[in-house]
Amino acid sequence: MSSGVLHQPVNLPANQPKQFYRGGEAIAALRGGASADFGPEDWVASTTTLFGRADAGLTTLPNGVLLRDAVAADPDGWLGADHVAKFGADTALLVKLLDAGQRLPVHCHPSNAFAATHLNCRHGKTEAWIVIGTTGADPTVYIGFKDEVPADVVAEWVATQNSAAMLDALNPVGVRPGDTVFVPAGVPHAIGEGVFIVELQQPTDFSVTLEWRGFLDSPDAAHLGLGYDLALDCVDRQGWGSSLERLVHQTSERWAPSVDLLGADAHPFFQADRLHVEGSLALEPSFAVLVVLEGSGQLGALEVRKGSTVVVPHAAGELGLSGDLVAVRCRPPVLAAVEDVAP
């Protein structure tokens, strides 16, 4: 693939590394492909591997080159000089399609500071969910403790694998398409069965799984190799029951050419907007990931349709998105909002 083609948007195939939980039918329905057993996550434009794995999770471009290697070979072209000055050859973004075919375990993720100190990585794992589909009578996510929980209580729940207590301590939130949930690092959470999301996150696979029994083979895979005594220090134990409006928003009634889905709280970590195109829309230069939810059209010269997942290099410049379609555009952090944390 010539460098000229590399500087144009690229349609990507599904990339579904095997997971420990069920799901994937909604991904197959969106993309028009076959459902993968235990393929509930499609890692889109991924330069990130599963924790402890050498290459599982990485995106391969249509020319056979790993996206990670293409970015390393031409970081300015893919990411833009300003981004490279802050992050180097690091996209600072991972996008997934996630289809929960069963409830996920209660877990959380480390912050930048915790990851820098204990995992030799500048990125923790703040994430956000954009709900694009649901099935079942009561699609629910669980986010943050209702009330502050003492450290020794959390440790006891984990030691005894008291799943009922852990789940009961979280805030249940019924969701529907158009809902967005911002999940700061440390906040315990679980996604319920039947919830289908576009997930933006920092580009790591760091998870501290509080509720491992029934999901993982042993606790050894649940604490990032740190041991629970240390790993549980990353848990946000504050009560979120009275402040969920900071995390959960409904956006389906907002209809404009570009709708900001996550707001300023997310800017140090990522950006997402929903694009509504009836005719054409000009997109400014940026590294970006597009997920087309409805309709069809063209991004520059590239044909896109419902289910297309596209990676866009910064060097593609300003692009016209034309047709009749709805898409989610995911982009890296707003550079002015990023706080430097050196590992």
Side-chain angles (χ1 to χ4, degrees), residues 102-339:
Q102 65 180 100
R103 179 180 68 79
L104 274 65
V106 177
H107 64 290
C108 69
H109 309 292
S111 66
N112 288 351
F114 187 97
T117 301
H118 301 294
L119 298 164
N120 194 34
C121 183
R122 73 176 294 166
H123 299 296
K125 192 182 170 188
T126 287
E127 63 188 38
W129 313 329
I130 300 165
V131 181
I132 60 172
T134 59
T135 57
D138 188 26
T140 302
V141 299
Y142 306 84
I143 178 75
F145 290 138
K146 297 171 185 173
D147 303 297
E148 184 172 355
V149 180
D152 60 338
V153 173
V154 174
E156 181 183 6
W157 288 345
V158 172
T160 60
Q161 283 300 283
N162 191 339
S163 294
M166 290 188 230
L167 203 63
D168 186 60
L170 297 176
N171 294 283
V173 177
V175 293
R176 59 189 175 99
D179 280 338
T180 66
V181 184
F182 180 59
V183 187
V187 173
H189 57 275
I191 299 173
E193 180 178 353
V195 178
F196 183 28
I197 63 174
V198 174
E199 180 179 46
L200 294 86
Q201 60 171 84
Q202 293 180 275
T204 73
D205 191 36
F206 298 148
S207 292
V208 175
T209 307
L210 282 65
E211 182 194 8
W212 63 265
R213 186 169 292 154
F215 295 94
L216 305 177
D217 292 336
S218 78
D220 295 340
H223 49 60
L224 300 172
L226 300 174
Y228 272 122
D229 285 348
L230 176 56
L232 292 181
D233 285 347
C234 82
V235 179
D236 179 343
R237 296 181 290 101
Q238 70 177 301
W240 283 90
S242 62
S243 52
L244 286 177
E245 71 280 356
R246 293 171 51 192
L247 305 181
V248 182
H249 299 93
Q250 168 52 227
T251 71
S252 61
E253 302 304 318
R254 298 169 60 193
W255 200 262
S258 178
V259 175
D260 181 4
L261 297 176
L262 301 176
D265 285 349
H267 284 174
F269 308 101
F270 33 66
Q271 309 167 69
D273 48 345
R274 190 173 57 239
L275 307 177
H276 306 109
V277 180
E278 297 175 348
S280 64
L281 177 66
L283 303 181
E284 65 272 31
S286 176
F287 176 80
V289 175
L290 260 68
V291 179
V292 181
L293 304 181
E294 300 174 18
S296 62
Q298 289 198 181
L299 178 62
L302 183 72
E303 293 188 3
V304 296
R305 59 172 179 80
K306 177 181 177 179
S308 293
T309 54
V310 180
V311 61
V312 183
H314 188 281
E318 182 176 292
L319 288 169
L321 180 60
S322 61
D324 186 0
L325 57 86
V326 178
V328 174
R329 176 175 58 164
C330 308
R331 289 179 290 167
V334 175
L335 295 179
V338 174
E339 296 182 6

Side-chain angles (χ1 to χ4, degrees), residues 1-45:
M1 186 178 291
S2 71
S3 61
V5 176
L6 277 175
H7 287 163
Q8 298 303 316
V10 179
N11 262 319
L12 299 173
N15 174 33
Q16 294 168 269
K18 188 173 181 179
Q19 301 291 338
F20 63 85
Y21 66 97
R22 298 187 303 275
E25 291 186 6
I27 296 173
L30 176 69
R31 297 186 63 99
S35 180
D37 291 337
F38 289 85
E41 300 180 9
D42 184 350
W43 292 31
V44 184

